Amino acid sequence: MTPSSPRTAFSRGIRTALPFVIVVGPFGLLFGVVGTEAGLNIAQVMGFTILVIAGASQFTALQLMADHAPTFIVVASALAVNLRMAMYSASFAPHLGAAPVWQRALIAYMNVDQTYALAHADYEARPQQSTAEKVAFFFGAATPIIPVWVGATALGIVVGEAIPPALGLDFAVPITFIALIAPALRTIAHVAAALTSVVMAILLAFLPWNLWLLAAGLAAMIVGAEVERRMEARR
């Protein structure tokens, strides 16, 4: 077995994340196109991408802004979509809590769905890693993903109208999340939460301003937590 070190962990992070570039690129490109079509200028679209750096939240906010939803609905929906980041960060604490503050600050900034899913899976597969190796893996995973996300958004702004609709860039959004979520459905509680979110999203699709998103997410968390509690009680 190759001796582990921060350098090898960083390289492994890059290699592991490279396949996600295939979907992150079109995802970012699509946001650049949709953002400009919604009336945002270049600075606003790029500010959205660089400061928020959360595709699902950005698309949610953008759609609500285009629908002229009240500001508090836009903010609440975007925050609700991004609440998962708080759970991501909490699950990272046992692995990265001993890292220097500046490293944790950078990790918090670059903690997106792809980097989290890859890093968490690696930490579970290699629990013996040092904190330095875990930090290195995370930065390695972020290396191909974050620049591609930002660069693709900029490219979408520039070439937006030249992209033929038949290209179907919106395929990147569901594929990205299926690729992230499917491997994580490892317990009955996970599956119950996922199924609940799907069913509730369909049943509540009539709600205005994408409020079904909040309701479905809340219902899924409640069901998932309850199933988990009952499973623990039986052990």
Side-chain angles (χ1 to χ4, degrees):
M1 179 180 291
T2 304
S4 182
S5 70
R7 183 186 293 273
T8 58
F10 182 81
S11 300
R12 188 174 67 254
I14 292 177
R15 292 195 305 273
T16 307
L18 279 177
F20 280 93
V21 170
I22 297 172
V23 289
V24 170
F27 201 170
L29 195 65
L30 182 62
F31 184 77
V33 175
V34 174
T36 50
E37 288 181 350
L40 300 183
N41 59 38
I42 295 175
Q44 289 170 329
V45 175
M46 291 308 300
F48 229 144
T49 281
I50 294 172
L51 297 177
V52 179
I53 197 165
S57 179
Q58 291 175 222
F59 276 105
T60 299
L62 195 61
Q63 182 175 348
L64 291 172
M65 291 165 64
D67 292 341
H68 304 290
T71 302
F72 79 92
I73 292 291
V74 176
V75 174
S77 297
L79 287 176
V81 172
N82 263 4
L83 272 179
R84 67 191 187 284
M85 299 301 169
M87 293 184 281
Y88 291 174
S89 299
S91 74
F92 268 167
H95 302 287
L96 306 174
V101 172
W102 69 270
Q103 290 182 352
R104 282 182 282 151
L106 282 176
I107 289 170
Y109 173 68
M110 295 187 287
N111 188 21
V112 297
D113 295 302
Q114 293 81 8
T115 54
Y116 170 78
L118 294 172
H120 189 263
D122 188 76
Y123 300 164
E124 286 197 337
R126 298 174 177 81
Q128 78 284 357
Q129 288 185 101
S130 67
T131 300
E133 290 169 329
K134 292 178 178 178
V135 169
F137 180 89
F138 182 93
F139 286 141
T143 295
I145 290 176
I146 305 300
V148 167
W149 168 250
V150 175
T153 299
L155 184 61
I157 295 172
V158 174
V159 303
E161 294 185 354
I163 299 175
L167 198 58
L169 289 177
D170 52 350
F171 82 96
V173 179
I175 286 180
T176 297
F177 285 96
I178 289 173
L180 291 171
I181 293 173
L185 299 179
R186 290 174 294 185
T187 68
I188 295 175
H190 295 161
V191 175
L195 289 177
T196 300
S197 66
V198 172
V199 172
M200 293 298 290
I202 294 173
L203 293 178
L204 301 177
F206 63 90
L207 292 177
W209 302 326
N210 285 342
L211 290 175
W212 56 267
L213 186 65
L214 301 178
L218 181 61
M221 286 189 283
I222 292 173
V223 170
E226 179 60 19
V227 172
E228 183 74 29
R229 185 189 68 78
R230 294 189 182 194
M231 291 175 63
E232 289 292 331
R234 290 181 180 178
R235 292 173 184 169

